Amino acid sequence: MYIGEASKRTGLSIKAIRFYEEIGLIQNPDRIGKYRFYKENDIELLILIKEAKELGITLSQLKDVITYNDDKVNWSSIKVFLAKQRVQLLNQIDDINKKIDMLNKCYDQIHP
Amino acid sequence: MYIGEASKRTGLSIKAIRFYEEIGLIQNPDRIGKYRFYKENDIELLILIKEAKELGITLSQLKDVITYNDDKVNWSSIKVFLAKQRVQLLNQIDDINKKIDMLNKCYDQIHP
DNA sequence: TTACAGCCTCCTCCTAAGGGGAGAGTCAAG
DNA sequence: CTTGACTCTCCCCTTAGGAGGAGGCTGTAA
């Protein structure tokens, strides 16, 4: 499928998909004539990228973790990364709890 | 005191202090000659801004919440805001918990 | 053949929160 | 008088993740 359909299938904008290619996050797709042509494999990866973004994972983190063997995505290293990411999220909860403490102190210092 | 001392007193950079003035977050300080001159009031506000930033509050949020009566900072509206912000942080914890759920689902969908 | 949707590349712009540095003025001390 | 430490304004640059649009091909359906 061409990029317009890929965009609809994944919910990513056309601009975003081209951007991911530009920064090397996805491999250069095949071309039919001058048009980018995407296959199911490509769509799967784009959907993963979209979901990861919603989890707050940055593109540069993804770039480190999306690797290829013979042009095929190495999904197992992505699984490992997701497990680490879970720990990260738990740490973020701790950080927020610390902020709540700070905020309460800050609140009490303002006394008018 | 001049801006260099204000910077040391607050822990904010000189650039940051001038920037806050530029965006209207703080009022234009008095000048002695061409030099900005800060008083204790100004320092108090700058310290609040610094602490708020550490809590993840953005400058534009602060801009909405820092108001003046006769050139004096309206601290009570800041207190109200901090109370709301506490709720925000609690919501963020919920959001992160949702992300953890999403991440777990995502993890399970990758099965190699 | 022609209309028109879709695609191409390239360029500029945006937010957030300043940082770096140029070039110039100023102030006090030696 | 000069030196050194401060300060001033002005302008460009940064990261992240694209958005918007210009100008120009391409492909296909009537």
Side-chain angles (χ1 to χ4, degrees):
Chain A
M1 77 201 74
Y2 293 132
I3 198 168
E5 194 183 339
S7 164
K8 281 171 196 152
R9 284 280 305 278
T10 61
L12 293 165
S13 71
I14 291 178
K15 288 279 189 181
I17 296 173
R18 286 201 280 243
F19 180 67
Y20 298 161
E21 179 185 334
E22 186 189 331
I23 64 174
L25 184 57
I26 57 176
Q27 294 192 314
N28 289 21
D30 297 337
R31 299 254 180 164
I32 291 190
K34 298 198 161 188
Y35 290 5
R36 291 169 177 83
F37 190 79
Y38 298 92
K39 288 170 296 202
E40 287 305 316
N41 287 349
D42 302 320
I43 300 303
E44 268 182 54
L45 181 55
L46 286 171
I47 287 174
L48 172 86
I49 290 170
K50 187 173 186 221
E51 290 175 349
K53 277 204 319 154
E54 288 165 7
L55 294 173
I57 298 169
T58 68
L59 299 187
S60 67
Q61 285 178 300
L62 283 174
K63 213 183 151 181
D64 290 337
V65 86
I66 297 176
T67 55
Y68 299 90
N69 289 339
D70 302 324
D71 284 0
K72 304 203 79 175
V73 175
N74 196 338
W75 290 94
S76 61
S77 67
I78 293 177
K79 277 197 95 158
V80 172
F81 173 76
L82 289 178
K84 284 186 199 156
Q85 196 61 20
R86 212 175 69 87
V87 176
Q88 276 304 115
L89 289 173
L90 293 170
N91 287 338
Q92 284 181 28
I93 290 179
D94 287 348
D95 289 345
I96 292 177
N97 279 129
K98 282 178 198 150
K99 285 181 184 176
I100 290 175
D101 288 348
M102 281 177 59
L103 193 146
N104 286 145
K105 281 180 197 154
C106 203
Y107 186 91
D108 293 337
Q109 278 175 11
I110 301 175
H111 56 104
Chain B
M1 76 201 75
Y2 294 134
I3 199 168
E5 196 183 338
S7 164
K8 280 172 196 151
R9 286 281 305 279
T10 61
L12 293 165
S13 71
I14 290 178
K15 287 278 187 182
I17 296 173
R18 286 201 279 242
F19 180 68
Y20 297 159
E21 180 185 336
E22 188 188 329
I23 65 174
L25 184 57
I26 57 176
Q27 294 192 313
N28 290 20
D30 296 337
R31 299 252 180 166
I32 292 190
K34 299 197 163 190
Y35 291 3
R36 292 168 176 84
F37 191 79
Y38 298 91
K39 287 171 296 204
E40 286 306 316
N41 288 349
D42 303 320
I43 301 302
E44 269 182 52
L45 181 56
L46 287 170
I47 288 175
L48 173 86
I49 291 171
K50 190 181 183 212
E51 290 175 348
K53 278 205 318 154
E54 288 165 6
L55 294 174
I57 297 169
T58 67
L59 300 186
S60 67
Q61 284 179 300
L62 284 174
K63 213 183 152 181
D64 290 337
V65 86
I66 297 175
T67 55
Y68 298 90
N69 289 339
D70 302 324
D71 285 2
K72 303 203 81 174
V73 175
N74 197 337
W75 289 94
S76 61
S77 66
I78 292 176
K79 278 197 94 160
V80 172
F81 173 76
L82 289 179
K84 284 186 199 156
Q85 196 61 21
R86 211 175 69 87
V87 176
Q88 276 304 113
L89 289 172
L90 293 170
N91 288 337
Q92 284 182 26
I93 290 179
D94 287 348
D95 289 346
I96 292 177
N97 280 128
K98 282 177 198 151
K99 285 182 183 175
I100 290 175
D101 287 347
M102 281 178 58
L103 193 147
N104 286 144
K105 281 179 197 156
C106 203
Y107 186 91
D108 293 338
Q109 278 175 11
I110 301 175
H111 55 104

